[in-house]
Amino acid sequence: MKHLLSIEDVSREDIERILARAKEFEDVSRRPIKKVPALQYKTVVNLFYEASTRTSTSFEMAAKRLSAEVHSIRAAGSAVDKGESLKDTVQTLSAYDPSAIVIRSPHVGAADLVAEWSQAAVVNAGDGKHEHPTQALLDVYTLRERLGALDGVNVWIVGDVLHSRVARSEVLALTRMGAEVTVCGPPTLIPRGVEALGCSVAYTLDGLGEADVVYALRMQRERMRESYVPSLREYAVRYQIDAARLRSGQVLMHPGPVNRGVELAADVIDGPQAVITAQVEAGIVVRMAVLYELVAGAQPDAPADAAPLEPAAAEPAPAKAPA
């Protein structure tokens, strides 16, 4: 793999390899020293053109735990505010010879363009309403830790599918791993032709009890340019996941941030069926695995079957001042 731009470009074997690597890095995360020298002397640039907490922090922590040098750039306060184009920004950053560029953009296809303009490995951290590949990978990882193999597992994705970059990546990744996926929401929030991705469509929650996994999506009001539902109150009445709708044994997921009281009721967010915190935890080790795969795995002399998991040397303690 040279880049991670879309789940469409990733085979089941690729996913299996990344998740196996992530499991090794999970073992590292339990050590007192959580860093390994896998990407020592490499540079990772995080380029975010949209607000982000979980994804940007997760990528930054992942790169640092691999001992990479990390530079995080936000559009606000950078030369972008002065009118610099994406191409000019990428060409400027490429002059510093980064090994990887992680980009989030409100524009579909931005990551593909960066991959054309730079020699660095490129990771799509979300491009408009298109895709969010690492979110799908960390969710598959979380589910496998909870349920084991996903072949035949029934997953319902409920909510604002139309504006969700997560939904498309989830459907592609989950079906590739053998799961059966249904997307559900108001007709106005289900994109036309979504069945072509390999999923089924429902417009009510009547069949929700059949699901092994319920994946709630956030209502993305910041992407809406018109009214897609009469009101959030009416949406919650019809599609909110609460304790009454969630049967025993079902796993509850959400990509975050959660709109409490809209797509999820407060009584299920912190309940035993929710794995939302586990998803956040998985984000670090899965993104470590992705960066390792793209940067270290791309080197001709890098071993294909073993990550350097020896802990990085601890920084020396500062010398004591003479008495």
Side-chain angles (χ1 to χ4, degrees):
M1 289 174 60
K2 170 61 176 172
H3 308 292
L4 180 58
L5 306 176
S6 166
I7 293 294
E8 282 187 306
D9 305 328
V10 182
S11 67
R12 179 166 181 163
E13 292 71 25
D14 292 330
I15 295 175
E16 295 278 6
R17 186 175 63 254
I18 290 170
L19 298 190
R21 187 78 73 194
K23 185 63 176 177
E24 295 177 358
F25 286 133
E26 183 177 322
D27 295 337
V28 172
S29 69
R30 298 192 183 101
R31 299 175 182 173
I33 299 176
K34 303 180 186 302
K35 294 180 70 174
V36 292
L39 298 187
Q40 197 168 27
Y41 310 121
K42 303 293 183 181
T43 300
V44 175
V45 174
N46 293 329
L47 182 58
F48 277 67
Y49 284 83
E50 284 187 319
S52 171
T53 300
R54 290 162 182 78
T55 303
S56 62
T57 302
S58 180
F59 268 113
E60 187 167 335
M61 290 183 67
K64 287 181 177 179
R65 287 190 180 183
L66 293 169
S67 300
E69 182 178 337
V70 184
H71 298 279
S72 296
I73 300 169
R74 305 290 186 271
S78 72
V80 174
D81 280 348
K82 302 176 183 177
E84 184 174 66
S85 69
L86 174 61
K87 185 173 185 178
D88 289 337
T89 298
V90 171
Q91 289 178 336
T92 298
L93 295 174
S94 296
Y96 305 137
D97 193 26
S99 296
I101 297 176
V102 179
I103 178 168
R104 166 168 287 188
S105 170
H107 304 297
V108 173
D112 298 77
L113 291 175
V114 174
E116 293 179 11
W117 297 331
S118 174
Q119 295 298 310
V122 176
V123 181
N124 180 5
D127 60 335
K129 297 187 292 183
H130 180 227
E131 277 214 49
H132 194 350
T134 58
Q135 180 68 48
L137 292 176
L138 72 88
D139 289 334
V140 170
Y141 182 87
T142 303
L143 279 179
R144 294 219 313 186
E145 290 293 296
R146 182 74 173 248
L147 302 176
L150 300 186
D151 296 281
V153 170
N154 192 333
V155 181
W156 273 52
I157 300 175
V158 181
D160 183 3
V161 180
L162 180 65
H163 299 96
S164 174
R165 54 185 163 221
V166 171
R168 178 181 174 85
S169 292
E170 294 289 339
V171 172
L172 291 170
L174 289 168
T175 54
R176 196 145 295 172
M177 300 305 291
E180 299 172 2
V181 180
T182 298
V183 296
C184 176
T188 53
L189 292 178
I190 301 293
R192 292 181 181 179
V194 70
E195 299 93 335
L197 297 178
C199 61
S200 302
V201 175
Y203 298 111
T204 72
L205 295 179
D206 294 344
L208 189 69
E210 303 169 2
D212 301 301
V213 178
V214 178
Y215 196 113
L217 296 173
R218 182 172 63 87
M219 284 289 285
Q220 303 205 21
R221 287 170 286 179
E222 73 276 11
R223 299 187 190 281
M224 297 181 183
R225 298 294 178 264
E226 53 188 282
S227 178
Y228 288 86
V229 293
S231 67
L232 289 180
R233 181 185 296 273
E234 183 167 337
Y235 173 86
V237 168
R238 293 174 179 268
Y239 296 99
Q240 182 186 93
I241 307 300
D242 57 18
R245 285 179 167 144
L246 202 64
R247 68 166 173 79
S248 175
Q250 288 180 317
V251 177
L252 178 64
M253 307 184 80
H254 192 291
V258 179
N259 291 317
R260 286 179 178 257
V262 181
E263 64 266 15
L264 291 179
D267 58 357
V268 298
I269 294 174
D270 304 312
Q273 292 167 264
V275 294
I276 299 171
T277 300
Q279 290 172 264
V280 176
E281 294 170 350
I284 297 176
V285 295
V286 169
R287 287 167 177 137
M288 287 175 72
V290 167
L291 290 172
Y292 179 85
E293 172 79 14
L294 298 182
V295 178
Q299 298 173 13
D301 57 346
D305 58 349
L309 299 183
E310 291 301 316
E315 294 184 4
K320 292 184 178 180

